[in-house]
Amino acid sequence: MSAHTCPICTDQFETVGAARDHTWSAHSACHYCGEQLGDETDEQLYRHWLAAHPDDLSRVDYKRADTAVDSLTFSERLSERGGGAAVGGLTRRQLLLAGGGAATASVVIGATALSTNTSPEPDDGANTGGDVGAVTTASIPETPGEFRYATMGSADANITVTYFGSWKCPYCAQFSTGMLSQLVTDYVESGTIALEFRNLAYIGGDPFLGPDAPAAGQAGLAVWNTDPASYWGFHEYVFRNQPPESDQWATAERLVEFAQAASVSETASIRRAIQEKQYDDALRATDRAASDSGVDATPTLLINGTTINPLGNEERTRQLIEDATGSN
């Protein structure tokens, strides 16, 4: 029987991932053996995988199961941190909360919507979790100067995934210091994807998330262009120590302090970049690229033409990557 065939109804699928998802959602069954587990949770399926198929699991399935079993779900983590609106089956879609009045502000749970310059702050500690080692030590292309935006992984990777984010977005901090490290371990280190970070300092030509946002964008690109080997360490240090979004914290002094703490070797370039707006063309090009791609919130990943907010959508994010790269 084909690896892309449902073991229950024998429907055919183009990818193993599609067959896996169909077998579980349509038949509550394991796509490896066809055992029907009843109307159970995803964790029950993952436990079955680990118990019945430890030697058969693909690397991606093993990582998914090992991460999910005996750990808090995304919705449970949000609940513990006060984001109770994301609990109760809403972890796989964006929940929009609209305020009243003519100037309604849209806020996405797990993301900062681009239609507003304000968003709820994450609770204390929301950007302190996760093992950032995989990100800080991520490999970069052999010739980083050929890449306009900060990039990790091999230039020969199957696809490049673009991460649209804002240095001032609290949900980007949550993603960058949490789920991102798992994606790096599973897909970047294996050479499956390369990943580039594009900072949304402007939206529609106006600063996004405060008038100081472009300065943070200048600093990030200055680090990438002058000391690329230190960039991803700087990236994670800033997000791990991100001040409240409402503060206008992205000053030359603060950004230089961050760079020094992250062991960036040359920091004078950061001041020059901010003072002279050296990378304004690149930041405004990102504004246009986001608009052209239909990006409507941060953080957003662009995977083979499809956009997704990774927070609360880890399985779908992984599926998009696997489908785009043909990986199992």
Side-chain angles (χ1 to χ4, degrees):
M1 185 175 289
S2 169
H4 299 168
T5 300
C6 172
I8 305 298
C9 66
T10 69
D11 282 355
Q12 298 286 322
F13 297 90
E14 293 183 0
T15 67
V16 171
R20 174 187 61 215
D21 291 348
H22 162 83
T23 304
W24 179 239
S25 62
H27 307 292
S28 299
C30 168
H31 75 292
Y32 285 101
C33 65
E35 180 178 345
Q36 292 182 285
L37 305 174
D39 188 15
E40 302 287 356
T41 64
D42 286 351
E43 184 172 331
Q44 182 67 23
L45 174 64
Y46 298 151
R47 289 182 184 277
H48 168 79
W49 281 355
L50 293 173
H53 308 289
D55 298 326
D56 300 327
L57 294 180
S58 68
R59 187 170 184 270
V60 171
D61 282 349
Y62 178 82
K63 188 67 176 181
R64 179 183 289 118
D66 188 54
T67 300
V69 171
D70 294 327
S71 66
L72 292 176
T73 65
F74 175 76
S75 61
E76 288 169 337
R77 292 198 301 271
L78 283 185
S79 180
E80 289 193 351
R81 294 169 182 165
V87 183
L90 298 180
T91 58
R92 295 175 185 269
R93 65 178 184 272
Q94 295 174 334
L95 175 64
L96 297 179
L97 303 179
T104 297
S106 296
V107 176
V108 181
I109 294 298
T112 299
L114 304 190
S115 57
T116 177
N117 279 356
T118 61
S119 73
E121 300 293 345
D123 295 322
D124 291 342
N127 60 344
T128 60
D131 177 8
V132 299
V135 178
T136 58
T137 61
S139 64
I140 61 174
E142 292 183 1
T143 54
E146 296 179 3
F147 295 81
R148 192 178 193 188
Y149 304 98
T151 301
M152 65 166 70
S154 170
D156 297 325
N158 294 342
I159 64 168
T160 295
V161 172
T162 299
Y163 165 19
F164 287 96
S166 166
W167 291 106
K168 297 197 67 184
C169 169
Y171 299 109
C172 292
Q174 184 176 334
F175 169 66
S176 290
T177 60
M179 177 182 168
L180 179 59
S181 65
Q182 297 300 320
L183 297 182
V184 172
T185 298
D186 292 345
Y187 300 112
V188 176
E189 290 181 359
S190 66
T192 302
I193 68 170
L195 184 141
E196 67 172 358
F197 177 72
R198 297 190 65 168
N199 170 231
L200 284 170
Y202 298 101
I203 296 298
D206 296 323
F208 175 52
L209 297 181
D212 57 327
Q218 297 284 346
L221 287 172
V223 173
W224 173 249
N225 281 276
T226 59
D227 188 8
S230 296
Y231 173 81
W232 289 105
F234 170 79
H235 179 101
E236 291 303 275
Y237 186 88
V238 174
F239 278 124
R240 183 163 287 266
N241 294 276
Q242 183 193 71
E245 174 197 331
S246 57
D247 293 353
Q248 292 189 26
W249 58 264
T251 64
E253 290 299 325
R254 176 64 69 87
L255 291 162
V256 167
E257 289 175 2
F258 281 158
Q260 291 171 338
S263 301
V264 175
S265 62
E266 202 282 300
T267 58
S269 61
I270 294 175
R271 294 183 187 276
R272 288 196 301 271
I274 293 172
Q275 293 169 352
E276 301 173 11
K277 299 183 178 179
Q278 290 180 347
Y279 301 101
D280 210 49
D281 286 348
L283 295 176
R284 293 187 182 279
T286 295
D287 178 4
R288 294 189 296 271
S291 178
D292 290 344
S293 299
V295 173
D296 60 3
T298 57
T300 291
L301 300 183
L302 178 63
I303 305 170
N304 199 30
T306 299
T307 60
I308 187 169
N309 165 24
L311 289 180
N313 291 290
E314 181 170 357
E315 289 189 22
R316 176 59 177 159
T317 299
R318 289 177 177 274
Q319 189 62 63
L320 287 172
I321 293 173
E322 293 168 29
D323 288 348
T325 59
S327 58
N328 294 335

